[in-house]
Amino acid sequence: QLQLVESGGGLVQPGGSLRLSCAASGSTLDYYNIGWFRQAPGKEREGVSCTSKRGGNTNYADSVKGRFTISRDIAKNTVYLQMNSLKPEDTAVYYCTAAYSCGTIATMLHYAMDLWGEGTPVTVSS
């Protein structure tokens, strides 16, 4: 059974960077589409980025395109989300999960597997 644990969040000033990690156990991440999602206070969970299995396609929400990069380290069985030029509106709890399909950013939550962890909080504030 695939299990995922997010880490790497924290408090950062606007314009700063963080790298989030999604570490897998129980199975090989390369067999799965993996998505990053976030949920800000009082808002619904939304898709941020997704990477298709075996290093296929990647996609990004328009709000993070050009600032965030999703990547895989097969040896470490981990998917990363490199976040640069962070903005206060990026403040949220970030989650990763496997997905039946990356779909589009608008639909990826629909395809997410119920493997949610506790997430890792990101706060962008001066």
Side-chain angles (χ1 to χ4, degrees):
Q1 175 74 8
L2 178 67
Q3 292 183 311
L4 302 169
V5 177
E6 306 95 340
S7 64
L11 173 64
V12 63
Q13 292 187 343
S17 297
L18 285 173
R19 188 178 75 162
L20 305 184
S21 299
C22 174
S25 60
S27 188
T28 301
L29 261 185
D30 210 37
Y31 297 157
Y32 295 89
N33 308 305
I34 299 295
W36 280 100
F37 300 80
R38 66 187 181 187
Q39 188 165 15
K43 294 189 176 181
E44 294 186 352
R45 193 167 297 186
E46 63 177 3
V48 174
S49 181
C50 193
T51 173
S52 298
K53 55 190 174 183
R54 296 190 179 88
N57 295 332
T58 59
N59 55 10
Y60 298 91
D62 287 343
S63 59
V64 307
K65 210 170 284 184
R67 301 188 296 121
F68 290 11
T69 304
I70 193 169
S71 63
R72 294 176 183 258
D73 186 327
I74 298 172
K76 294 184 178 180
N77 212 23
T78 299
V79 170
Y80 299 102
L81 185 67
Q82 178 67 43
M83 306 189 298
N84 298 329
S85 302
L86 282 161
K87 304 175 180 180
E89 51 263 42
D90 295 317
T91 295
V93 179
Y94 285 71
Y95 303 87
C96 66
T97 192
Y100 296 104
S101 172
C102 280
T104 65
I105 288 297
T107 63
M108 62 185 281
L109 185 58
H110 174 72
Y111 294 111
M113 296 183 187
D114 188 16
L115 297 172
W116 302 106
E118 294 185 356
T120 185
V122 172
T123 302
V124 185
S125 175
S126 54

